[in-house]
C-alpha cells in the first residue's frame, strides 16, 4: 500500500524534473503525450503491484473449510426422471434429492428464495414460486425429509434485492432451520452474487459460495475482471468461488481463468454433460465441486479418487 501511495509522487517528481530540463516550447509540444504516458505507467504499475499483493494474501489464506472430498460431482436439484430436462421446475423436491443421494451424490443444489413476508425460505427455481403438490415447499420440511449428513448447495435467488436487515433475518432463519433439521451449518453452502448480503451468512458460520459471472475465458477483459472478483472474495472472507463453466467450445472457466484464480477453490455449475469432459474437470485440484447441466444424468460415479492396491482412498 505504501508503494502504491508513493508511486504517483515519484512519477510526478519525475515529470517535474523532465519539465525543468526541457525547453518550454518542446515541453508544451509534448506535454499531452508525456502526461498520458505518465498516467498509463502509473496505472500499469499500480495494477501489477495490486495483483502481486492480492496473490500474496490469497496464498496465505486458509482454504481448509472448502469441500475437499474426491467425490466431487453433485446433483442439480436432485436426480429427476429422464425426459424432464427441459422443465426448469423439475427437481427441488424431497423425492428427487433422496434419489440423487441414493445413487451416490454427496451433495445437491437446491434453488431457494428468502421471502421476507413469510420470514422463510421457499424452494423454487422460478418466481413467482412454483408449488409442489399444490403447496409451497419451504426449506425446513425439505431438509427434514432428506439426509442431514449430506451437503446442500443453496442457490440463493434474488438475494441482492433484500435489504441488509432482511439478509440478516434470512441468516438467522437458516441457522434455526439447521439446528432443527440437524444439518451442520458447514454443510449448507450459500451461493450468491451480492457480497454484502452474503456477509451475515459468513458471520453465522455457513459455507459461502461467492458466485461470479466473468466474461468468456478468451475475452480480453477476463484477467482484469477475475482480479476484481478475487479481491472481493478475499475481503468478504468467503469459503469458495462459484461460476458457470460455459460450453466446451467457449468455456468461461478455462486456462486464463484458472491461471489468474490460482489456488482459490472453485465450484462449477452448468458443466456440459459429457463424461470425458466431466472426468477431465474433476481432476483439476482447484475444482472442488461440479454439477452437470443435465439434471437427469446420473454421473456421480465420476470422481478424482486415487485407486490403490487397497482400493479407493
Amino acid at each position: 500500500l505504501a508503494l502504491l501511495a508513493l508511486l504517483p509522487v515519484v512519477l510526478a517528481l519525475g515529470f517535474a524534473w523532465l519539465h525543468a530540463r526541457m525547453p518550454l516550447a518542446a515541453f508544451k509540444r509534448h506535454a499531452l503525450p508525456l502526461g498520458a504516458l505518465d498516467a498509463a505507467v502509473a496505472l500499469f504499475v499500480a495494477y501489477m503491484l495490486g495483483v502481486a499483493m492480492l496473490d500474496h494474501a490469497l496464498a496465505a489464506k486458509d482454504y481448509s473449510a472448502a469441500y475437499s472430498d474426491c467425490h466431487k460431482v453433485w446433483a442439480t436439484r436432485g436426480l429427476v426422471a429422464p425426459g424432464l430436462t427441459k422443465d426448469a421446475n423439475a427437481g427441488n423436491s424431497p423425492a428427487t434429492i433422496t434419489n440423487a443421494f441414493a445413487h451416490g451424490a454427496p451433495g445437491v443444489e437446491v434453488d431457494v428464495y428468502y421471502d421476507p413476508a413469510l420470514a422463510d425460505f421457499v424452494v423454487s427455481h422460478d418466481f413467482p414460486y412454483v408449488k409442489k403438490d399444490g403447496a409451497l415447499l419451504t426449506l425446513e420440511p425439505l431438509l427434514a425429509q432428506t439426509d442431514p449428513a449430506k451437503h446442500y448447495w443453496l442457490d440463493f435467488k434474488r438475494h441482492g434485492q433484500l435489504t441488509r436487515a432482511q439478509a440478516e433475518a434470512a441468516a438467522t432463519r437458516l441457522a434455526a432451520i439447521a439446528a432443527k433439521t440437524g444439518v451442520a451449518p458447514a454443510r449448507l453452502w450459500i451461493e450468491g452474487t451480492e457480497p454484502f448480503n452474503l456477509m451475515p451468512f459468513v458471520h453465522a458460520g455457513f459455507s459461502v459460495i461467492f458466485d461470479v459471472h466473468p466474461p468468456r475465458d478468451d475475452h480480453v477483459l477476463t484477467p482484469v475482471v477475475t482480479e476484481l472478483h478475487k479481491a472481493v472474495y478475499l475481503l468478504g472472507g468467503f469459503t469458495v468461488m462459484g461460476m458457470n463453466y460455459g460450453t466446451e467450445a467457449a468455456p468461461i472457466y478455462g486456462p486464463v481463468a484458472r491461471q489468474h484464480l490460482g489456488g482459490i477453490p472453485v465450484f462449477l455449475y452448468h458443466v456440459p454433460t459429457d463424461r470425458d469432459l466431466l472426468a477431465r474437470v474433476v481432476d483439476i485440484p482447484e475444482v472442488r465441486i461440479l454439477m452437470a447441466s443435465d439434471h437427469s444424468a446420473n454421473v456421480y460415479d465420476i470422481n478424482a479418487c486415487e485407486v490403490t492396491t487397497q482400493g479407493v482412498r
Side-chain angles (χ1 to χ4, degrees):
L1 290 175
L3 288 173
L4 290 176
L6 287 173
L7 179 64
V9 176
V10 172
L11 289 172
L13 290 174
F15 195 66
W17 178 87
L18 185 64
H19 180 196
R21 284 156 179 76
M22 183 179 292
L24 182 60
F27 180 80
K28 288 181 177 180
R29 188 165 59 252
H30 299 292
L32 185 60
L34 285 173
L37 178 63
D38 181 45
V41 170
L43 287 173
F44 177 75
V45 174
Y47 172 76
M48 296 305 295
L49 284 172
V51 169
M53 289 188 290
L54 178 60
D55 286 341
H56 178 75
L58 285 168
K61 182 175 170 63
D62 181 9
Y63 297 118
S64 60
Y67 180 89
S68 59
D69 194 284
C70 59
H71 295 91
K72 300 180 177 183
V73 182
W74 288 11
T76 305
R77 304 177 214 152
L79 181 59
V80 304
L84 294 179
T85 55
K86 293 183 180 180
D87 181 2
N89 302 311
N92 282 325
S93 70
T96 58
I97 291 170
T98 299
N99 191 29
F101 291 155
H103 284 83
V108 63
E109 179 245 13
V110 182
D111 299 299
V112 297
Y113 294 80
Y114 180 75
D115 191 310
L118 299 174
D120 208 353
F121 286 90
V122 177
V123 178
S124 177
H125 179 272
D126 290 343
F127 185 85
Y129 306 133
V130 176
K131 295 181 178 180
K132 300 289 184 183
D133 299 322
L136 286 181
L137 175 63
T138 55
L139 184 60
E140 183 178 322
L142 181 142
L143 293 179
Q145 295 176 62
T146 53
D147 189 344
K150 300 294 186 179
H151 292 266
Y152 297 85
W153 174 338
L154 303 182
D155 184 353
F156 198 168
K157 305 289 188 181
R158 293 191 171 187
H159 77 109
Q161 297 181 13
L162 301 176
T163 66
R164 183 56 183 263
Q166 290 169 341
E168 291 173 351
T172 300
R173 173 58 184 146
L174 189 60
I177 292 173
K180 192 168 182 179
T181 59
V183 181
R187 290 179 176 268
L188 291 173
W189 298 81
I190 317 303
E191 175 210 339
T193 57
E194 209 286 314
F196 291 105
N197 279 356
L198 288 175
M199 293 305 299
F201 296 89
V202 174
H203 298 152
F206 294 102
S207 300
V208 177
I209 307 166
F210 175 45
D211 185 32
V212 299
H213 295 272
R216 281 179 15 173
D217 195 61
D218 58 0
H219 196 283
V220 66
L221 292 178
T222 293
V224 176
V225 173
T226 302
E227 297 300 334
L228 292 174
H229 287 154
K230 286 163 58 178
V232 176
Y233 166 78
L234 177 65
L235 293 172
F238 304 125
T239 316
V240 299
M241 195 178 288
M243 67 173 63
N244 186 341
Y245 177 84
T247 66
E248 291 189 69
I252 296 172
Y253 181 76
V256 175
R258 283 183 60 188
Q259 176 188 352
H260 285 270
L261 288 171
I264 295 175
V266 177
F267 282 18
L268 296 176
Y269 52 89
H270 297 329
V271 182
T273 312
D274 175 272
R275 290 188 67 89
D276 289 338
L277 174 65
L278 291 169
R280 292 196 301 272
V281 176
V282 85
D283 280 334
I284 299 172
E286 293 77 26
V287 175
R288 302 299 181 89
I289 299 300
L290 64 153
M291 296 189 301
S293 56
D294 182 354
H295 50 281
S296 68
N298 177 3
V299 289
Y300 316 126
D301 60 306
I302 299 174
N303 60 69
C305 304
E306 181 183 354
V307 178
T308 69
T309 54
Q310 288 77 35
V312 176
R313 68 181 185 190

